[in-house]
Amino acid sequence: MAVAKNLSRTVSQLLQTSGCGCQASIVPVRWIGVSPRQVTSDVSFHSVSFSETDHPRVLITGGLGQLGVGLAKLLRKRFGKNNVILSDIRKPPDHVFYNGPFIYSDILDYKNLREIVVNNRITWLFHYSALLSAIGEANVPLARAVNITGLHNILDIAAEHSLRLFVPSTIGAFGPTSPRNSTPDLCIQRPRTIYGVSKVHAELMGEYYHYRYGLDFRCLRYPGIISADSQPGGGTTDYAVQIFHDAIKSGKFQCNLKPDTCLPMMYIDDCLKATLDVMEAPAAALSMRTYNINAMSFSPEELAQEVKKHIPELQVTYNVDAARQAIADSWPMNFDDSNARRDWGWKHDFDLSELVTTMFNILGSDSRVAQIN
Ligand SMILES: NC(=O)C1=CN([C@@H]2O[C@H](COP(=O)(O)OP(=O)(O)OC[C@H]3O[C@@H](n4cnc5c(N)ncnc54)[C@H](O)[C@@H]3O)[C@@H](O)[C@H]2O)C=CC1
Ligand SMILES: CC(=O)[C@H](N)C(=O)O
């Protein structure tokens, strides 16, 4: 009964203060229910060994993809290893599993997700679970479930437990009728993929929960992200990661986009820095809750030219994937991120030359040349 009393007190408090001066909130019905699992866990609740006022307690969903492990490393360095819990529905490799707290979490399992947030006293949530553009078009029902129903679960739990919530959006949240060169934060958004539609939905729902229920929702539209030590998860910009691995392994790369397809791109360190910076920014600095962030734009042929400065014998051919090409042709070519730079001091560190040099420093460009000679 204690939990039910706590919850009803929370609900009544919520009804009186909406957190943003707007009309008193009518809480969504499902918050009234109490998960039977939560009652058990609360009954056996122990005092925690860390000070909650020192650091956020972080949960990352979908953390075993291209970006999540890097995000966990950055946040653990900032907030302490045991304050950052990585989660996913896949089994983590040993080097991830033994490098900090990991928990199985399916964002479609609302009750279990709620239990994780309560049991681990989560205060910040980074919601990375998603099906990306190309893989989403290949499985629309699953993409709709994960990217939309999963998001709804996250929003309700974040609002119920007053979490600070980060949800990434994407250049894919724009479509062929958006201004493409360059694309501002606020303009028409009619994406033509389930991925883009779900991300516009995430932006709109996150901002609605912010203004209606006071949820501290923050969102960045990421460009195509490039990383050396993690594989992309099935997007349209994946070619820009694959070229490095193929150049080193065989000196040959077959690109699945046309040579002149210009897209906004970013090195992972800039992406993760921006994500932490916007989450640590004082709320008063945020004139918006969804921001574009930008570093560079390039085409496959421009990237290939830069790669050849490190592996001159690289041979690039083009075998265009019509589905990915249609998606890329509907996306921004350049991103206007002036609001992020003005509001919370965003600036990128890696341009194309630094990106390529850094990738080869990590992956080692001499290994293949050595094999040839
Ligand atoms: N990598 C990129 O270039 C960009 C990524 N983003 C966004 O950043 C976030 C992370 O991206 P990536 O790491 O590249 O994605 P990814 O596709 O590499 O990883 C997504 C993760 O979500 C997990 N997942 C799938 N269904 C799930 C479920 N039901 N419950 C829990 N987890 C589930 C998968 O197991 C996977 O590990 C995504 O929301 C994506 O839309 C946005 C723009 C660019
Ligand atoms: C840009 C993205 O959101 C992602 N890399 C994709 O290509 O789907």
Side-chain angles (χ1 to χ4, degrees):
M1 280 312 286
V3 173
K5 200 180 292 177
N6 277 343
L7 195 60
S8 60
R9 190 184 312 130
T10 308
V11 166
S12 58
Q13 282 165 357
L14 209 61
L15 285 169
Q16 283 142 33
T17 55
S18 66
C20 60
C22 52
Q23 293 306 313
S25 311
I26 309 297
V27 290
V29 175
R30 70 197 244 175
W31 291 355
I32 307 296
V34 175
S35 145
R37 286 200 241 181
Q38 189 180 1
V39 174
T40 317
S41 56
D42 273 3
V43 163
S44 60
F45 175 69
H46 301 291
S47 65
V48 289
S49 58
F50 55 86
S51 153
E52 291 182 356
T53 55
D54 282 355
H55 289 308
R57 292 276 298 162
V58 178
L59 175 66
I60 302 170
T61 67
L64 294 183
Q66 182 189 0
L67 306 185
V69 173
L71 178 65
K73 273 187 201 147
L74 178 69
L75 299 180
R76 285 167 175 163
K77 204 179 292 179
R78 180 87 179 79
F79 301 127
K81 186 161 87 167
N82 292 325
N83 285 318
V84 181
I85 301 173
L86 204 50
S87 78
D88 206 301
I89 53 172
R90 297 186 288 153
K91 189 176 173 189
D94 284 354
H95 75 274
V96 172
F97 185 71
Y98 292 110
N99 201 18
F102 177 86
I103 194 166
Y104 174 90
S105 169
D106 181 341
I107 59 163
L108 298 177
D109 182 345
Y110 172 77
K111 290 185 177 178
N112 177 253
L113 195 55
R114 201 165 171 233
E115 188 176 351
I116 290 168
V117 166
V118 168
N119 279 354
N120 294 283
R121 309 182 72 71
I122 299 300
T123 56
W124 284 16
L125 197 156
F126 293 79
H127 178 47
Y128 267 9
S129 307
L131 268 68
L132 273 57
S133 58
I135 201 166
E137 284 306 293
N139 192 337
V140 173
L142 183 61
R144 191 182 61 194
V146 173
N147 296 12
I148 296 178
T149 307
L151 171 86
H152 292 171
N153 290 343
I154 291 288
L155 286 172
D156 282 347
I157 291 168
E160 180 184 9
H161 295 284
S162 304
L163 307 185
R164 184 171 299 188
L165 173 63
F166 179 82
V167 180
S169 185
T170 162
I171 51 175
F174 297 97
T177 53
S178 309
R180 296 183 66 210
N181 193 5
S182 70
T183 306
D185 282 309
L186 296 174
C187 63
I188 190 165
Q189 289 177 261
R190 286 291 186 279
R192 295 277 169 82
T193 62
I194 182 63
Y195 176 60
V197 168
S198 69
K199 288 296 189 179
V200 174
H201 180 71
E203 294 175 14
L204 296 174
M205 285 296 284
E207 293 187 7
Y208 174 75
Y209 270 60
H210 171 65
Y211 292 108
R212 188 72 175 73
Y213 303 115
L215 173 65
D216 191 349
F217 168 79
R218 303 180 188 208
C219 174
L220 296 180
R221 298 191 186 106
Y222 290 169
I225 306 302
I226 296 160
S227 58
D229 52 4
S230 57
Q231 287 300 320
T236 303
T237 60
D238 293 5
Y239 87 88
V241 177
Q242 196 56 44
I243 186 171
F244 292 94
H245 298 283
D246 291 0
I248 290 170
K249 199 170 74 184
S250 65
K252 294 182 172 65
F253 174 62
Q254 188 177 83
C255 185
N256 58 17
L257 292 182
K258 289 177 184 171
D260 62 347
T261 307
C262 187
L263 290 169
M265 299 280 189
M266 184 178 287
Y267 184 57
I268 187 169
D269 286 11
D270 272 338
C271 169
L272 300 180
K273 178 187 82 171
T275 302
L276 177 55
D277 284 355
V278 78
M279 281 292 267
E280 291 198 298
L286 305 178
S287 67
M288 311 168 75
R289 288 289 164 158
T290 303
Y291 289 90
N292 294 345
I293 53 169
N294 192 49
M296 65 193 97
S297 289
F298 55 72
S299 64
E301 65 190 356
E302 289 167 328
L303 177 58
Q305 287 313 312
E306 198 63 34
V307 169
K308 285 178 181 176
K309 292 177 183 175
H310 298 258
I311 302 187
E313 72 281 5
L314 172 67
Q315 294 168 19
V316 180
T317 55
Y318 293 88
N319 180 13
V320 175
D321 171 338
R324 278 183 169 83
Q325 188 63 48
I327 293 171
D329 289 343
S330 71
W331 283 3
M333 297 164 74
N334 287 294
F335 238 14
D336 171 358
D337 62 357
S338 48
N339 292 315
R341 292 174 188 264
R342 182 200 62 233
D343 284 2
W344 45 275
W346 156 243
K347 70 173 188 61
H348 68 283
D349 294 322
F350 292 81
D351 63 14
L352 178 56
S353 167
E354 277 122 355
L355 164 82
V356 172
T357 301
T358 303
M359 289 289 283
F360 283 123
N361 286 345
I362 297 169
L363 295 170
S365 61
D366 53 353
S367 55
R368 213 202 71 77
V369 175
Q371 284 160 21
I372 284 188
N373 298 338

